[in-house]
Amino acid sequence: MPKKMSDEVVEAILTRIKSHCQRHNTETFRIIFHGGEPMLTGMDFYEKFVQKADNIFDGSGINLRYSLQTNGLLLNDEWCNLFARLNISFGISLDGTAEANDKYRVDHQGKGTHSRAVKGLKVAQASEALQKLGRSPGILSVINTGIDPIEIYEHYKELNVKRISFLFPDNTYDDPPHELANGDLSINREQTPF
């Protein structure tokens, strides 16, 4: 599969979204760029995408909203300016302290990403273009039950994070939480708060 959507695929997706919105009287539709690292597609992709969407949705009365989920490693002033200009809100994936984050969020060399993600967060927080829009990136944080939640909370406060979405880790019976990987999937009802 190609690493990036072709212009033809972008046009087909946007045309389908418009048709869906018209059929269901949807006035606002959110497009979220994520999966892998969406910033690897390059700035030109987003310029073209939004321009194509503007052309297809012109006069339709449908309001498109854009969001992006990034690991923050590539964030710089140029990206922040682009996101502000194209009205793309974004969040940074960060799972708390360096200990918590770097346990599972590593690069292709196996190195933890915490320090680089925090650097990207600080660039975004200091961005004049984003500040003019009253925007600050939020954090998407996967819960690690082996780390003290107060420690994670205090870390986010130190980083001056204003919005956090906590996610449960993706687990199934066949792929249990790491703490239960020994095969004991029984639930201790006395320790369960619900």
Side-chain angles (χ1 to χ4, degrees):
M1 291 182 59
K3 294 183 186 253
K4 187 160 84 168
M5 272 189 260
S6 68
D7 292 342
E8 295 79 19
V9 171
V10 168
E11 185 166 349
I13 288 170
L14 291 169
T15 301
R16 181 77 184 260
I17 291 169
K18 180 181 177 184
S19 172
H20 171 85
C21 291
Q22 288 172 329
R23 189 170 356 135
H24 298 284
N25 297 318
T26 303
E27 296 177 7
T28 302
F29 191 89
R30 180 169 296 278
I31 295 174
I32 304 172
F33 302 102
H34 66 89
E37 176 47 51
M39 290 171 61
L40 289 174
T41 61
M43 293 180 184
D44 190 48
F45 173 81
Y46 297 98
E47 293 271 8
K48 287 180 179 179
F49 191 101
V50 171
Q51 181 60 53
K52 177 81 67 184
D54 287 348
N55 292 339
I56 290 173
F57 283 81
D58 185 40
S60 69
I62 299 165
N63 185 19
L64 291 181
R65 302 257 190 243
Y66 301 101
S67 300
L68 181 138
Q69 190 62 39
T70 177
N71 62 21
L73 306 188
L74 299 175
L75 271 174
N76 58 26
D77 285 330
E78 194 176 3
W79 274 103
C80 291
N81 291 338
L82 176 80
F83 292 151
R85 187 167 45 78
L86 297 178
N87 203 19
I88 298 174
S89 62
F90 64 96
I92 298 172
S93 299
L94 185 69
D95 296 341
T97 61
E99 176 192 3
N101 185 82
D102 293 352
K103 189 168 184 178
Y104 302 110
R105 292 196 188 271
V106 295
D107 62 19
H108 291 292
Q109 288 77 43
K111 296 178 184 170
T113 61
H114 180 269
S115 63
R116 291 174 285 162
V118 167
K119 181 181 174 187
L121 171 66
K122 290 181 179 184
V123 165
Q125 289 171 330
S127 167
E128 289 181 23
L130 294 174
Q131 287 177 7
K132 284 180 185 175
L133 294 175
R135 290 224 178 120
S136 178
I139 295 294
L140 181 133
S141 183
V142 177
I143 296 169
N144 181 335
T145 59
I147 304 289
D148 179 6
I150 301 300
E151 184 180 333
I152 302 287
Y153 173 75
E154 292 297 332
H155 182 63
Y156 289 142
K157 276 179 46 178
E158 288 171 13
L159 293 175
N160 199 29
V161 172
K162 304 295 184 198
R163 294 179 296 121
I164 306 166
S165 292
F166 289 103
L167 294 179
F168 289 107
D170 288 334
N171 296 116
T172 65
Y173 183 84
D174 293 328
D175 180 23
H178 298 283
E179 306 82 48
L180 300 177
N182 64 3
D184 180 13
L185 297 178
S186 61
I187 297 173
N188 183 337
R189 298 284 179 209
E190 293 172 6
Q191 293 179 352
T192 305
F194 46 86

